[in-house]
């Protein structure tokens, strides 16, 4: 809109100068209006650029001082970044995340987290919920992305959460069904994982022992058959 008005003023200025019928005062007035318009437009652009630059500088300063974390790409691979979890566990956590992401926007906000904790039997205060999000909220948007949701279980497994942390409570109450893991009596899915790995190792060792035993018995049968054939040939000669 401002550009069209400026173009009209410029055209008027050219017409006045070419016709030579306008008074000098009118020409100067048009020139002044055009100059003022140009100054105003430059000022707006400068202010906008200055505000954007200032925001970027503040963000960079926060990152350098440790008050903020660099923004991560929206797309990530949970299987390569969270290698301590099995594919099945990540799938289970993804299903849980989607279950409570009632807005279907890829985030769990404060109210959705409130509902989650109530469903898990550990309701939290408003301040408690905000502190829970703050512990893993890397981009400071006040809600949990799926990556930040996985960070809860990562920190719990690494022992990086306080005993009274609401996130630790969430991790403990969000155990994977032990019948799926094939381990009975596990208190949470971290213990279930360890016991599953231990049971799997024992199972593999038993399989290998049985295979070795079958090989040994087969060798013995071969030796007996060979000895019998030798004995038989000695009597038939």
């Amino acid at each position: 809109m401002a550009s069209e008005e400026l173009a009209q003023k410029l055209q008027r200025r050219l017409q006045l100068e070419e016709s030579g019928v306008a008074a000098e005062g009118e020409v100067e007035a048009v020139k002044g209006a055009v100059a003022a318009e140009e100054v105003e437009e430059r000022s707006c652009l400068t202010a906008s650029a200055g505000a954007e630059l200032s925001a970027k500088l503040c963000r960079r300063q926060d990152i350098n001082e440790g008050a903020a974390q660099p923004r991560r790409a929206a797309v990530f691979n949970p299987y390569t970044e969270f290698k301590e979890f099995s594919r099945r566990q990540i799938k289970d956590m993804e299903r849980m995340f989607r279950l409570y992401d009632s807005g279907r926007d890829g985030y769990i906000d404060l109210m959705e987290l409130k509902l989650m904790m109530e469903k898990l039997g550990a309701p939290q205060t408003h301040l408690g919920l905000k502190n829970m999000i703050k512990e893993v909220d890397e981009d400071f948007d006040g809600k949990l992305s799926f990556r930040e949701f996985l960070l809860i279980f990562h920190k719990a497994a690494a022992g990086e959460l306080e005993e009274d942390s609401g996130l630790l409570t969430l991790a403990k109450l969000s155990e994977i069904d032990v019948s799926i893991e094939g381990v009975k009596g596990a208190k949470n899915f971290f213990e279930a994982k360890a016991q599953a790995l231990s049971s799997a190792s024992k199972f593999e060792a038993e399989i290998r022992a049985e295979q070795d035993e079958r090989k040994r018995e087969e060798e013995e049968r071969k030796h007996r058959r060979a000895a019998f054939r030798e004995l038989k040939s000695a009597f038939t000669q």
Side-chain angles (χ1 to χ4, degrees):
M1 195 69 183
S3 299
E4 293 179 2
E5 185 177 353
L6 180 60
Q8 292 174 359
K9 288 180 179 179
L10 286 171
Q11 185 177 6
R12 173 64 177 165
R13 174 180 170 180
L14 291 174
Q15 290 174 351
L16 290 173
E17 290 181 347
E18 291 175 356
S19 63
V21 298
E24 183 178 352
E26 184 179 357
V27 173
E28 291 301 324
V30 173
K31 289 181 179 179
V34 170
E37 187 75 25
E38 292 174 345
V39 170
E40 182 179 356
E41 187 172 349
R42 285 197 298 270
S43 298
C44 292
L45 292 173
T46 303
S48 177
E52 184 178 358
L53 179 60
S54 177
K56 289 182 178 179
L57 289 174
C58 289
R59 173 69 180 172
R60 174 53 57 188
Q61 183 177 0
D62 287 343
I63 292 173
N64 292 338
E65 294 177 355
Q69 297 292 331
R71 290 189 177 93
R72 295 178 177 270
V75 179
F76 76 102
N77 189 333
Y79 304 107
T80 57
E81 187 168 348
F82 295 90
K83 295 180 180 179
E84 67 269 35
F85 301 130
S86 69
R87 190 176 185 86
R88 183 187 303 174
Q89 287 170 337
I90 290 179
K91 286 292 185 183
D92 287 341
M93 285 184 273
E94 184 178 12
R95 280 193 290 270
M96 181 180 181
F97 181 85
R98 290 180 178 178
L99 175 65
Y100 291 100
D101 176 21
S102 57
R104 299 293 185 267
D105 59 354
Y107 295 92
I108 290 180
D109 60 24
L110 189 71
M111 294 307 296
E112 290 167 340
L113 181 61
K114 178 178 183 293
L115 177 62
M116 176 189 291
M117 297 307 293
E118 289 174 352
K119 291 287 187 180
L120 293 174
Q124 303 288 314
T125 64
H126 184 79
L127 179 60
L129 293 167
K130 291 182 69 174
N131 288 335
M132 287 174 65
I133 293 176
K134 187 177 180 181
E135 285 189 70
V136 291
D137 187 12
E138 292 189 324
D139 52 8
F140 304 100
D141 60 356
K143 51 189 177 182
L144 300 177
S145 65
F146 180 52
R147 183 185 184 280
E148 292 165 344
F149 186 71
L150 290 178
L151 276 177
I152 297 173
F153 300 93
H154 169 80
K155 287 178 176 288
E160 298 176 2
L161 297 175
E162 300 293 334
E163 284 297 325
D164 59 349
S165 168
L167 294 184
L168 185 60
T169 302
L170 187 156
K172 287 182 176 179
L173 294 175
S174 303
E175 61 182 294
I176 293 176
D177 188 345
V178 293
S179 63
I180 296 177
E181 290 296 329
V183 180
K184 296 182 179 180
K187 294 180 181 179
N188 55 55
F189 82 91
F190 301 113
E191 294 178 4
K193 179 183 177 182
Q195 291 187 26
L197 291 174
S198 177
S199 297
S201 298
K202 291 179 180 178
F203 181 75
E204 290 175 359
E206 291 174 356
I207 292 296
R208 285 195 296 270
E210 290 178 1
Q211 290 174 344
D212 291 341
E213 179 66 19
R214 283 197 295 268
K215 289 180 180 179
R216 186 181 60 80
E217 292 176 353
E218 183 62 27
E219 289 295 329
E220 290 180 353
R221 283 195 293 270
K222 287 180 180 180
H223 288 306
R224 287 197 298 268
R225 284 195 295 267
F228 177 77
R229 283 196 296 268
E230 291 178 1
L231 182 61
K232 181 178 179 182
S233 63
F235 278 102
T236 56
Q237 288 178 355

